[in-house]
Amino acid sequence: MKKLVLENYGAASIAAADIFAELLREKPDSVFGLATGSTPLGLYAELVKRYQAGEIDFSKARSFNLDEYYPISKDHPQSYAYFMRENLFSKVNFSSSRLPGGDADDPAAECARYDAEIEAAGGIDLQLLGIGLNGHIGFNEPALSYSMSTNLVNLTESTLEANSRFFAQGDIQPSKALTMGFGAIFKAKKILLMITGANKATIAKRLFEGFVHTDVPACLLLLHPDVTVVMDKDAARLL
Ligand code: GLP
């Protein structure tokens, strides 16, 4: 794993945007795997800025998001569909942008359809990832076994609690999600993992111990041949 430690969150977001920009230059019709959460917000703002300045163009590029709550409507302000629209898709020009359908009637069929769509696009060129406090990737929570395919998962108490900050009081927070499995993530040609903030220092330390701890889903990334981890100093302070 290649590790880049930047001075602060802003610099980490710029370094991540540089990796996106370089790939767009090399391969304008790239397929990007995208993530939600607070970590990539700075990166998305930087991509919007560069797009508006005419420095980058997504018109030939496509995107697939990692995950979505289930069940949830696309218009729910806490849905990842809404998050992506607000922060990126309404501001740049991807030729297509997909997320697992949190409003699908048949989640198993939706998962199979999503995997087939990624496959038909030729797989993912660059997969962006954040990391949960418990080491989850997408919504692949710590478990005894991990699904290769997109699948419906039960969220852990720790994840529900970590993400409850986004839901207003009285709003029902879904306890399930549809998440890409390790199959599509591992088939990505390149992986860009962003770890920022002091609260991620402990999980970052476990990741960099050099062991594949199977109770930390992110550790499976140690087995991928092309992973760049972009961090800020706060997240790297225990390394
Ligand atoms: C969510 C998302 C993950 C994300 C993680 C970390 O649960 N499903 O893809 O990486 O949270 O979020 P944050 O960046 O807000 O810490």
Side-chain angles (χ1 to χ4, degrees):
M1 276 198 312
K2 191 169 143 198
K3 175 168 52 108
L4 299 178
V5 180
L6 283 302
E7 193 55 38
N8 52 38
Y9 178 71
S13 302
I14 288 173
D18 287 344
I19 294 174
F20 269 64
E22 192 186 317
L23 184 62
L24 275 172
R25 257 191 310 275
E26 271 171 25
K27 189 177 180 231
D29 61 346
S30 286
V31 178
F32 289 91
L34 299 179
T36 49
S38 26
T39 308
L41 281 172
L43 158 66
Y44 292 160
E46 180 66 23
L47 292 176
V48 169
K49 196 169 114 196
R50 293 186 193 194
Y51 168 71
Q52 285 170 349
E55 293 165 18
I56 52 175
D57 171 39
F58 294 91
S59 62
K60 297 193 173 75
R62 283 174 288 178
S63 74
F64 289 93
N65 260 75
L66 277 170
D67 48 13
E68 178 59 285
Y69 286 112
Y70 188 86
I72 203 159
S73 100
K74 291 185 178 62
D75 299 321
H76 191 291
Q78 298 316 326
S79 73
Y80 286 166
Y82 187 96
F83 174 99
M84 290 306 298
R85 232 173 18 245
E86 285 291 297
N87 293 298
L88 192 65
F89 298 152
S90 62
K91 299 176 178 162
V92 302
N93 61 339
F94 275 104
S95 76
S96 78
S97 301
R98 301 276 187 259
L99 286 97
D103 53 357
D105 292 333
D106 179 346
E110 172 60 11
C111 290
R113 191 203 58 74
Y114 199 61
D115 281 335
E117 205 181 337
I118 296 172
E119 196 74 30
I124 291 164
D125 291 298
L126 175 65
Q127 177 64 56
L128 170 68
L129 298 172
I131 187 170
L133 289 172
N134 61 5
H136 74 228
I137 290 296
F139 268 136
N140 294 286
E141 297 279 33
L144 288 175
S145 58
Y146 296 99
S147 171
M148 292 295 277
S149 323
T150 298
N151 65 119
L152 179 67
V153 293
N154 291 311
L155 301 175
T156 61
E157 280 304 320
S158 115
T159 297
L160 288 170
E161 198 188 311
N163 289 354
S164 64
R165 68 189 194 274
F166 298 114
F167 288 82
Q169 233 182 1
D171 213 357
I172 295 168
Q173 183 182 0
S175 60
K176 292 177 192 280
L178 301 174
T179 184
M180 231 185 240
F182 275 95
I185 296 172
F186 254 80
K187 279 190 228 151
K189 295 186 187 77
K190 279 175 185 294
I191 292 180
L192 165 57
L193 171 62
M194 291 189 77
I195 313 181
T196 58
N199 63 339
K200 298 283 172 72
T202 307
I203 194 68
K205 182 168 182 281
R206 286 213 80 192
L207 176 64
F208 281 104
E209 276 164 2
F211 293 92
V212 181
H213 300 287
T214 49
D215 60 338
V216 179
C219 282
L220 296 177
L221 300 174
L222 290 163
L223 302 168
H224 189 283
D226 191 347
V227 180
T228 302
V229 187
V230 171
M231 316 177 76
D232 61 6
K233 276 196 167 162
D234 287 344
R237 82 192 146 90
L238 301 178
L239 304 185

